[in-house]
Amino acid sequence: MIYTTHQLLIFADYLLSNQNSIISSPINGEIWKIYQLFKTYIVDNNKLHFTNINEFLEYIEQFNTLSGGCLHFTKSKYDSKDKIKSKLVWINDIGLKILQQKFNKTSNSTNTPTGQNTDQYKECTSLFEFIAKPDKTKRSLDKIDKLTIEDLTNFIQKPTTKLQLDKKRSKLNTPKLKFPEICNEKHHSTTLSTLLFKQNNNNNNNSSNSKQINLNDQYINQKLNQFKNRISTDILNCLNEKIHFLPILYNHTDLKLGDCSYLDTCHKIKTCRYLHYYTLHPTSNTTSTSSSNTNTISNTITNQESNSNANTKTTNQKSNLIEELTNLDYSLGEIFSSGFKEISQPQWINCDINQLNFSKLGKFSAIISDPAWLIHQNLPYGTFGDLELINLKINELQDEGIIFLWVTARSLDIGRQALAKWGYEIINEVIWVKLNQLKRIIVTGRTGHWLNHSKEHLLVGLKGKPNWLNLKIDLDIIISNTRETSRKPDEIYDIIDRMCGPFARKLEIFGRQHNVRPGWLTIGNQLNGINLNEPELINNLNSSTI
Ligand code: SAH
């Protein structure tokens, strides 16, 4: 039997007025007890009655579909033989209230458990009322004598409430980081450098050997604490807010030569006679201390907004959001449930990508691929042929979704061809403008024949029409520091999370150990073994050879 929304909402009223006693002793969420109690509750209701517990179970299932999973049961519920023994363990009361509020709002009447008021939930006779005609007028199932293809198409295409909520949430949750400024007072850096590095030399019988100092953050912080009293308040305050680059004077450093072009990415730092620096990041919490210590342009721009207005703005944004949420139409799909899901732990597979059977990996919302393109440079890993790449069965990995493919100047065209072959339309190209340690654009890149390469290209391909993508949040430019050879900026992960939501399944092809992260499956031949936690994936891969 299919229950009407009106009938189903009686259960929401019941749960909300009794939720604590339902879950705790002596009822303990046991279905057969709830069944008896609920029967008493609806005894006067001429619209709802059950002849046996199986009918009640059916009713609960339909209720949970309507509420988007507001009720959580012990596992046995999913075992059909044991359904009756199942226990209700958690009630999403906020979800229920919103559901109730939404329907009561349309009927403009008060809650009555008996449902005597025939006007109650008048417009909400069934889930099918959400089938909207293109002219946006609603139709209830009672008034539809025949479901047309057009009705069904409209129904399927209508974005679910979950989708709309997730889109709004991702906009609201987009972090606005303060872009750390760089200190321009030269004497700050030199004073700190003398204090932190020279002191060590004195302890080492006056021989200037910064070479032996292990310059890590812990060492520097210890030294800073030790010499706090010798540092002026001006400098201490500045340290809280701004980045400082402290010149490191090694035995072999020849100050006349000036800065090393490679700075902290110099491969010969132990013998290089040019000047190198230690980056001292601001200590105050207001500044970004992300792993890469970088910010995208979008962060810079958002920071131009007055800070004092930021809080009021967020509060306003939040109340607008709540207002908007209450005005949303419910439709099939999960409502408010993402908050209770967990983001999957990082997963990775060490493999030869040529040998991996992609059809066993399942489908992904987003893919990043950074192929080991053949370039005329010594690389610390094996490369991948252009044809090998084009022939990869990437088409098996997404039915619809987005792909990000890093290309080099030489491989731009091959990348375009590959994307077309795999079934993608190129919708954008992100560029990464590479900064050196001193936050200036790299001018002596290690690649580039005619002009030095100071940027990298990331082709963005789209397959199908994924209406779940969050659009217009980030920019197509990333400005951030270079790190190890070939390592790409971490900003791209945040951009993808904001586009696809944190719970989407995401895949990185040609990833290394530092690339693994929650929500992502990473594959490549430099990873440490295999680490998987999705049961379906483990099962699929067990039945094939990696
Ligand atoms: N995006 C990465 C860098 C990728 S470099 C980062 O941010 O660090 C390319 C990687 O592809 C290297 O680790 C290389 O060893 C790996 N690789 C090359 N050929 C491969 C193959 N046939 N199968 C799997 N991985 C391969």
Side-chain angles (χ1 to χ4, degrees), residues 334-372:
E334 294 172 78
I335 299 169
F336 278 121
S337 52
S338 358
F340 314 113
K341 276 191 200 159
E342 278 177 22
I343 301 179
S344 75
Q345 287 305 302
Q347 303 190 93
W348 63 87
I349 305 172
N350 177 320
C351 61
D352 176 356
I353 281 158
N354 270 320
Q355 304 299 318
L356 188 65
N357 184 347
F358 283 177
S359 70
K360 302 280 178 186
L361 298 182
K363 304 286 175 183
F364 299 89
S365 307
I367 299 177
I368 297 182
S369 175
D370 183 15

mmCIF file of all heavy atoms in Angstrom, residues 334-372:
data_model
loop_
_atom_site.group_PDB
_atom_site.id
_atom_site.type_symbol
_atom_site.label_atom_id
_atom_site.label_comp_id
_atom_site.label_asym_id
_atom_site.label_seq_id
_atom_site.Cartn_x
_atom_site.Cartn_y
_atom_site.Cartn_z
ATOM 1 N N GLU A 334 17.949 12.262 -0.433
ATOM 2 C CA GLU A 334 18.302 12.415 0.968
ATOM 3 C C GLU A 334 18.172 13.865 1.393
ATOM 4 O O GLU A 334 18.652 14.742 0.701
ATOM 5 C CB GLU A 334 19.739 11.964 1.180
ATOM 6 C CG GLU A 334 19.897 10.494 0.941
ATOM 7 C CD GLU A 334 21.350 10.132 0.974
ATOM 8 O OE1 GLU A 334 21.892 10.030 2.071
ATOM 9 O OE2 GLU A 334 21.921 9.964 -0.104
ATOM 10 N N ILE A 335 17.522 14.049 2.505
ATOM 11 C CA ILE A 335 17.361 15.407 2.998
ATOM 12 C C ILE A 335 18.231 15.575 4.229
ATOM 13 O O ILE A 335 18.108 14.797 5.177
ATOM 14 C CB ILE A 335 15.892 15.677 3.345
ATOM 15 C CG1 ILE A 335 15.040 15.516 2.102
ATOM 16 C CG2 ILE A 335 15.728 17.060 3.933
ATOM 17 C CD1 ILE A 335 13.570 15.501 2.369
ATOM 18 N N PHE A 336 19.067 16.556 4.219
ATOM 19 C CA PHE A 336 19.900 16.874 5.379
ATOM 20 C C PHE A 336 20.752 15.716 5.865
ATOM 21 O O PHE A 336 21.121 15.674 7.015
ATOM 22 C CB PHE A 336 19.018 17.308 6.565
ATOM 23 C CG PHE A 336 18.632 18.734 6.477
ATOM 24 C CD1 PHE A 336 17.296 19.068 6.431
ATOM 25 C CD2 PHE A 336 19.584 19.724 6.402
ATOM 26 C CE1 PHE A 336 16.902 20.382 6.346
ATOM 27 C CE2 PHE A 336 19.200 21.039 6.310
ATOM 28 C CZ PHE A 336 17.862 21.372 6.281
ATOM 29 N N SER A 337 20.972 14.713 5.049
ATOM 30 C CA SER A 337 21.644 13.561 5.628
ATOM 31 C C SER A 337 23.156 13.587 5.437
ATOM 32 O O SER A 337 23.859 12.860 6.111
ATOM 33 C CB SER A 337 21.071 12.275 5.080
ATOM 34 O OG SER A 337 21.090 12.347 3.694
ATOM 35 N N SER A 338 23.666 14.465 4.540
ATOM 36 C CA SER A 338 25.117 14.416 4.317
ATOM 37 C C SER A 338 25.889 14.715 5.585
ATOM 38 O O SER A 338 26.988 14.225 5.777
ATOM 39 C CB SER A 338 25.584 15.361 3.233
ATOM 40 O OG SER A 338 24.554 16.037 2.662
ATOM 41 N N GLY A 339 25.287 15.529 6.456
ATOM 42 C CA GLY A 339 25.966 15.897 7.694
ATOM 43 C C GLY A 339 26.305 14.685 8.544
ATOM 44 O O GLY A 339 27.153 14.740 9.401
ATOM 45 N N PHE A 340 25.617 13.579 8.291
ATOM 46 C CA PHE A 340 25.846 12.407 9.139
ATOM 47 C C PHE A 340 26.706 11.363 8.451
ATOM 48 O O PHE A 340 26.986 10.338 8.998
ATOM 49 C CB PHE A 340 24.511 11.807 9.568
ATOM 50 C CG PHE A 340 23.563 12.857 10.043
ATOM 51 C CD1 PHE A 340 22.415 13.164 9.338
ATOM 52 C CD2 PHE A 340 23.880 13.601 11.170
ATOM 53 C CE1 PHE A 340 21.576 14.176 9.772
ATOM 54 C CE2 PHE A 340 23.041 14.607 11.602
ATOM 55 C CZ PHE A 340 21.886 14.906 10.904
ATOM 56 N N LYS A 341 27.080 11.638 7.215
ATOM 57 C CA LYS A 341 27.935 10.680 6.510
ATOM 58 C C LYS A 341 29.376 10.952 6.892
ATOM 59 O O LYS A 341 29.718 12.026 7.319
ATOM 60 C CB LYS A 341 27.816 10.905 5.009
ATOM 61 C CG LYS A 341 26.651 10.224 4.385
ATOM 62 C CD LYS A 341 26.838 10.317 2.885
ATOM 63 C CE LYS A 341 25.549 10.102 2.158
ATOM 64 N NZ LYS A 341 25.595 10.661 0.825
ATOM 65 N N GLU A 342 30.202 9.939 6.663
ATOM 66 C CA GLU A 342 31.618 10.170 6.909
ATOM 67 C C GLU A 342 32.342 10.235 5.580
ATOM 68 O O GLU A 342 32.001 9.506 4.656
ATOM 69 C CB GLU A 342 32.191 9.025 7.719
ATOM 70 C CG GLU A 342 31.916 9.185 9.192
ATOM 71 C CD GLU A 342 32.420 8.018 9.991
ATOM 72 O OE1 GLU A 342 33.304 7.306 9.513
ATOM 73 O OE2 GLU A 342 31.902 7.834 11.102
ATOM 74 N N ILE A 343 33.349 11.084 5.498
ATOM 75 C CA ILE A 343 34.149 11.132 4.278
ATOM 76 C C ILE A 343 35.079 9.933 4.325
ATOM 77 O O ILE A 343 35.700 9.677 5.358
ATOM 78 C CB ILE A 343 34.951 12.437 4.202
ATOM 79 C CG1 ILE A 343 33.976 13.615 4.242
ATOM 80 C CG2 ILE A 343 35.816 12.483 2.961
ATOM 81 C CD1 ILE A 343 34.606 14.961 4.211
ATOM 82 N N SER A 344 35.159 9.195 3.214
ATOM 83 C CA SER A 344 35.930 7.944 3.266
ATOM 84 C C SER A 344 37.421 8.230 3.497
ATOM 85 O O SER A 344 37.951 9.262 3.071
ATOM 86 C CB SER A 344 35.729 7.147 1.984
ATOM 87 O OG SER A 344 36.464 7.751 0.964
ATOM 88 N N GLN A 345 38.076 7.314 4.154
ATOM 89 C CA GLN A 345 39.517 7.446 4.424
ATOM 90 C C GLN A 345 40.304 7.355 3.108
ATOM 91 O O GLN A 345 39.805 6.795 2.140
ATOM 92 C CB GLN A 345 39.955 6.313 5.354
ATOM 93 C CG GLN A 345 39.478 6.488 6.791
ATOM 94 C CD GLN A 345 39.907 7.829 7.363
ATOM 95 O OE1 GLN A 345 41.083 8.141 7.421
ATOM 96 N NE2 GLN A 345 38.938 8.657 7.751
ATOM 97 N N PRO A 346 41.538 7.888 3.072
ATOM 98 C CA PRO A 346 42.317 7.825 1.824
ATOM 99 C C PRO A 346 42.514 6.375 1.370
ATOM 100 O O PRO A 346 42.715 5.493 2.202
ATOM 101 C CB PRO A 346 43.675 8.422 2.224
ATOM 102 C CG PRO A 346 43.434 9.169 3.477
ATOM 103 C CD PRO A 346 42.255 8.564 4.152
ATOM 104 N N GLN A 347 42.431 6.177 0.065
ATOM 105 C CA GLN A 347 42.651 4.833 -0.499
ATOM 106 C C GLN A 347 43.699 4.959 -1.594
ATOM 107 O O GLN A 347 43.726 5.971 -2.294
ATOM 108 C CB GLN A 347 41.374 4.296 -1.129
ATOM 109 C CG GLN A 347 40.186 4.237 -0.196
ATOM 110 C CD GLN A 347 39.029 3.471 -0.836
ATOM 111 O OE1 GLN A 347 38.876 2.287 -0.647
ATOM 112 N NE2 GLN A 347 38.234 4.173 -1.616
ATOM 113 N N TRP A 348 44.559 3.951 -1.744
ATOM 114 C CA TRP A 348 45.514 4.001 -2.841
ATOM 115 C C TRP A 348 45.908 2.609 -3.337
ATOM 116 O O TRP A 348 45.752 1.626 -2.607
ATOM 117 C CB TRP A 348 46.753 4.815 -2.470
ATOM 118 C CG TRP A 348 47.587 4.286 -1.345
ATOM 119 C CD1 TRP A 348 48.593 3.379 -1.424
ATOM 120 C CD2 TRP A 348 47.498 4.654 0.051
ATOM 121 N NE1 TRP A 348 49.137 3.162 -0.177
ATOM 122 C CE2 TRP A 348 48.491 3.919 0.748
ATOM 123 C CE3 TRP A 348 46.685 5.520 0.770
ATOM 124 C CZ2 TRP A 348 48.689 4.040 2.122
ATOM 125 C CZ3 TRP A 348 46.880 5.625 2.143
ATOM 126 C CH2 TRP A 348 47.862 4.904 2.802
ATOM 127 N N ILE A 349 46.379 2.569 -4.551
ATOM 128 C CA ILE A 349 46.822 1.307 -5.155
ATOM 129 C C ILE A 349 48.137 1.555 -5.880
ATOM 130 O O ILE A 349 48.193 2.394 -6.782
ATOM 131 C CB ILE A 349 45.807 0.782 -6.198
ATOM 132 C CG1 ILE A 349 44.406 0.654 -5.599
ATOM 133 C CG2 ILE A 349 46.272 -0.556 -6.780
ATOM 134 C CD1 ILE A 349 43.332 0.334 -6.622
ATOM 135 N N ASN A 350 49.194 0.825 -5.481
ATOM 136 C CA ASN A 350 50.428 0.888 -6.246
ATOM 137 C C ASN A 350 50.262 -0.070 -7.422
ATOM 138 O O ASN A 350 50.002 -1.253 -7.240
ATOM 139 C CB ASN A 350 51.608 0.447 -5.371
ATOM 140 C CG ASN A 350 52.905 0.424 -6.163
ATOM 141 O OD1 ASN A 350 52.931 0.007 -7.320
ATOM 142 N ND2 ASN A 350 53.963 0.885 -5.564
ATOM 143 N N CYS A 351 50.361 0.436 -8.626
ATOM 144 C CA CYS A 351 50.154 -0.433 -9.789
ATOM 145 C C CYS A 351 50.765 0.210 -11.026
ATOM 146 O O CYS A 351 51.104 1.393 -11.021
ATOM 147 C CB CYS A 351 48.654 -0.603 -10.023
ATOM 148 S SG CYS A 351 47.850 0.962 -10.354
ATOM 149 N N ASP A 352 50.881 -0.610 -12.052
ATOM 150 C CA ASP A 352 51.226 -0.063 -13.358
ATOM 151 C C ASP A 352 49.899 0.302 -13.997
ATOM 152 O O ASP A 352 49.042 -0.573 -14.214
ATOM 153 C CB ASP A 352 51.967 -1.133 -14.173
ATOM 154 C CG ASP A 352 52.266 -0.649 -15.581
ATOM 155 O OD1 ASP A 352 51.828 0.470 -15.932
ATOM 156 O OD2 ASP A 352 52.931 -1.384 -16.328
ATOM 157 N N ILE A 353 49.720 1.582 -14.279
ATOM 158 C CA ILE A 353 48.419 2.040 -14.757
ATOM 159 C C ILE A 353 48.019 1.349 -16.062
ATOM 160 O O ILE A 353 46.830 1.121 -16.313
ATOM 161 C CB ILE A 353 48.411 3.581 -14.828
ATOM 162 C CG1 ILE A 353 48.194 4.076 -13.406
ATOM 163 C CG2 ILE A 353 47.336 4.134 -15.754
ATOM 164 C CD1 ILE A 353 48.615 5.441 -13.104
ATOM 165 N N ASN A 354 49.014 0.948 -16.846
ATOM 166 C CA ASN A 354 48.708 0.229 -18.082
ATOM 167 C C ASN A 354 48.051 -1.121 -17.827
ATOM 168 O O ASN A 354 47.347 -1.642 -18.682
ATOM 169 C CB ASN A 354 50.002 -0.014 -18.868
ATOM 170 C CG ASN A 354 50.264 1.139 -19.805
ATOM 171 O OD1 ASN A 354 49.334 1.651 -20.422
ATOM 172 N ND2 ASN A 354 51.516 1.558 -19.893
ATOM 173 N N GLN A 355 48.337 -1.694 -16.653
ATOM 174 C CA GLN A 355 47.833 -3.050 -16.372
ATOM 175 C C GLN A 355 46.531 -3.041 -15.576
ATOM 176 O O GLN A 355 45.915 -4.078 -15.394
ATOM 177 C CB GLN A 355 48.872 -3.841 -15.540
ATOM 178 C CG GLN A 355 50.242 -3.944 -16.147
ATOM 179 C CD GLN A 355 50.206 -4.658 -17.479
ATOM 180 O OE1 GLN A 355 49.505 -5.655 -17.630
ATOM 181 N NE2 GLN A 355 50.921 -4.132 -18.466
ATOM 182 N N LEU A 356 46.147 -1.891 -15.085
ATOM 183 C CA LEU A 356 44.986 -1.845 -14.183
ATOM 184 C C LEU A 356 43.680 -1.926 -14.982
ATOM 185 O O LEU A 356 43.521 -1.240 -15.989
ATOM 186 C CB LEU A 356 45.026 -0.549 -13.365
ATOM 187 C CG LEU A 356 44.004 -0.428 -12.241
ATOM 188 C CD1 LEU A 356 44.246 -1.476 -11.164
ATOM 189 C CD2 LEU A 356 44.060 0.955 -11.611
ATOM 190 N N ASN A 357 42.769 -2.748 -14.475
ATOM 191 C CA ASN A 357 41.472 -2.879 -15.133
ATOM 192 C C ASN A 357 40.538 -1.800 -14.577
ATOM 193 O O ASN A 357 39.977 -1.931 -13.492
ATOM 194 C CB ASN A 357 40.938 -4.285 -14.836
ATOM 195 C CG ASN A 357 39.647 -4.543 -15.562
ATOM 196 O OD1 ASN A 357 39.019 -3.624 -16.089
ATOM 197 N ND2 ASN A 357 39.244 -5.810 -15.593
ATOM 198 N N PHE A 358 40.392 -0.709 -15.329
ATOM 199 C CA PHE A 358 39.623 0.446 -14.836
ATOM 200 C C PHE A 358 38.163 0.112 -14.538
ATOM 201 O O PHE A 358 37.534 0.732 -13.697
ATOM 202 C CB PHE A 358 39.680 1.592 -15.852
ATOM 203 C CG PHE A 358 40.981 2.350 -15.827
ATOM 204 C CD1 PHE A 358 41.226 3.376 -16.735
ATOM 205 C CD2 PHE A 358 41.953 2.064 -14.893
ATOM 206 C CE1 PHE A 358 42.417 4.085 -16.714
ATOM 207 C CE2 PHE A 358 43.153 2.766 -14.851
ATOM 208 C CZ PHE A 358 43.385 3.773 -15.770
ATOM 209 N N SER A 359 37.642 -0.904 -15.255
ATOM 210 C CA SER A 359 36.212 -1.192 -15.064
ATOM 211 C C SER A 359 35.939 -1.721 -13.651
ATOM 212 O O SER A 359 34.810 -1.758 -13.207
ATOM 213 C CB SER A 359 35.725 -2.193 -16.106
ATOM 214 O OG SER A 359 36.304 -3.447 -15.825
ATOM 215 N N LYS A 360 36.998 -2.123 -12.929
ATOM 216 C CA LYS A 360 36.807 -2.663 -11.569
ATOM 217 C C LYS A 360 36.814 -1.558 -10.505
ATOM 218 O O LYS A 360 36.630 -1.821 -9.329
ATOM 219 C CB LYS A 360 37.927 -3.666 -11.226
ATOM 220 C CG LYS A 360 38.031 -4.819 -12.175
ATOM 221 C CD LYS A 360 36.989 -5.847 -11.859
ATOM 222 C CE LYS A 360 37.064 -7.001 -12.847
ATOM 223 N NZ LYS A 360 35.977 -7.959 -12.661
ATOM 224 N N LEU A 361 37.107 -0.327 -10.907
ATOM 225 C CA LEU A 361 37.284 0.727 -9.900
ATOM 226 C C LEU A 361 35.977 1.418 -9.519
ATOM 227 O O LEU A 361 35.928 2.169 -8.556
ATOM 228 C CB LEU A 361 38.273 1.794 -10.401
ATOM 229 C CG LEU A 361 39.701 1.319 -10.690
ATOM 230 C CD1 LEU A 361 40.567 2.480 -11.135
ATOM 231 C CD2 LEU A 361 40.314 0.668 -9.450
ATOM 232 N N GLY A 362 34.922 1.188 -10.290
ATOM 233 C CA GLY A 362 33.661 1.891 -10.041
ATOM 234 C C GLY A 362 33.682 3.247 -10.726
ATOM 235 O O GLY A 362 34.606 3.560 -11.482
ATOM 236 N N LYS A 363 32.657 4.049 -10.426
ATOM 237 C CA LYS A 363 32.536 5.356 -11.109
ATOM 238 C C LYS A 363 32.943 6.490 -10.168
ATOM 239 O O LYS A 363 32.815 6.368 -8.948
ATOM 240 C CB LYS A 363 31.093 5.571 -11.556
ATOM 241 C CG LYS A 363 30.552 4.462 -12.444
ATOM 242 C CD LYS A 363 31.116 4.506 -13.841
ATOM 243 C CE LYS A 363 30.638 3.298 -14.633
ATOM 244 N NZ LYS A 363 31.184 3.215 -15.961
ATOM 245 N N PHE A 364 33.411 7.569 -10.770
ATOM 246 C CA PHE A 364 33.901 8.707 -9.976
ATOM 247 C C PHE A 364 33.240 10.012 -10.426
ATOM 248 O O PHE A 364 32.935 10.184 -11.602
ATOM 249 C CB PHE A 364 35.420 8.823 -10.123
ATOM 250 C CG PHE A 364 36.131 7.601 -9.624
ATOM 251 C CD1 PHE A 364 36.385 6.536 -10.472
ATOM 252 C CD2 PHE A 364 36.500 7.494 -8.296
ATOM 253 C CE1 PHE A 364 37.004 5.383 -10.008
ATOM 254 C CE2 PHE A 364 37.123 6.347 -7.819
ATOM 255 C CZ PHE A 364 37.373 5.295 -8.675
ATOM 256 N N SER A 365 33.080 10.917 -9.473
ATOM 257 C CA SER A 365 32.524 12.230 -9.825
ATOM 258 C C SER A 365 33.607 13.095 -10.449
ATOM 259 O O SER A 365 33.341 13.895 -11.340
ATOM 260 C CB SER A 365 32.028 12.956 -8.587
ATOM 261 O OG SER A 365 31.167 12.163 -7.875
ATOM 262 N N ALA A 366 34.820 12.965 -9.896
ATOM 263 C CA ALA A 366 35.901 13.816 -10.393
ATOM 264 C C ALA A 366 37.177 12.994 -10.524
ATOM 265 O O ALA A 366 37.408 12.061 -9.749
ATOM 266 C CB ALA A 366 36.140 14.974 -9.427
ATOM 267 N N ILE A 367 37.974 13.344 -11.529
ATOM 268 C CA ILE A 367 39.260 12.663 -11.745
ATOM 269 C C ILE A 367 40.332 13.734 -11.925
ATOM 270 O O ILE A 367 40.098 14.736 -12.612
ATOM 271 C CB ILE A 367 39.215 11.785 -13.021
ATOM 272 C CG1 ILE A 367 38.140 10.702 -12.895
ATOM 273 C CG2 ILE A 367 40.573 11.158 -13.313
ATOM 274 C CD1 ILE A 367 37.980 9.837 -14.145
ATOM 275 N N ILE A 368 41.504 13.508 -11.310
ATOM 276 C CA ILE A 368 42.678 14.317 -11.643
ATOM 277 C C ILE A 368 43.673 13.356 -12.253
ATOM 278 O O ILE A 368 43.877 12.258 -11.717
ATOM 279 C CB ILE A 368 43.389 14.905 -10.409
ATOM 280 C CG1 ILE A 368 42.521 15.857 -9.627
ATOM 281 C CG2 ILE A 368 44.678 15.595 -10.807
ATOM 282 C CD1 ILE A 368 43.254 16.479 -8.432
ATOM 283 N N SER A 369 44.297 13.772 -13.342
ATOM 284 C CA SER A 369 45.337 12.921 -13.898
ATOM 285 C C SER A 369 46.549 13.798 -14.217
ATOM 286 O O SER A 369 46.419 14.852 -14.846
ATOM 287 C CB SER A 369 44.799 12.256 -15.166
ATOM 288 O OG SER A 369 45.834 11.523 -15.761
ATOM 289 N N ASP A 370 47.701 13.350 -13.728
ATOM 290 C CA ASP A 370 48.931 14.105 -13.978
ATOM 291 C C ASP A 370 49.939 13.151 -14.613
ATOM 292 O O ASP A 370 50.851 12.657 -13.935
ATOM 293 C CB ASP A 370 49.446 14.664 -12.639
ATOM 294 C CG ASP A 370 50.675 15.530 -12.825
ATOM 295 O OD1 ASP A 370 50.950 15.931 -13.976
ATOM 296 O OD2 ASP A 370 51.362 15.805 -11.822
ATOM 297 N N PRO A 371 49.754 12.846 -15.899
ATOM 298 C CA PRO A 371 50.583 11.818 -16.525
ATOM 299 C C PRO A 371 52.065 12.168 -16.480
ATOM 300 O O PRO A 371 52.435 13.340 -16.512
ATOM 301 C CB PRO A 371 50.092 11.807 -17.976
ATOM 302 C CG PRO A 371 48.785 12.503 -17.962
ATOM 303 C CD PRO A 371 48.836 13.476 -16.847
ATOM 304 N N ALA A 372 52.880 11.115 -16.419
ATOM 305 C CA ALA A 372 54.327 11.304 -16.430
ATOM 306 C C ALA A 372 54.735 11.538 -17.890
ATOM 307 O O ALA A 372 55.311 10.662 -18.521
ATOM 308 C CB ALA A 372 54.993 10.069 -15.853
#
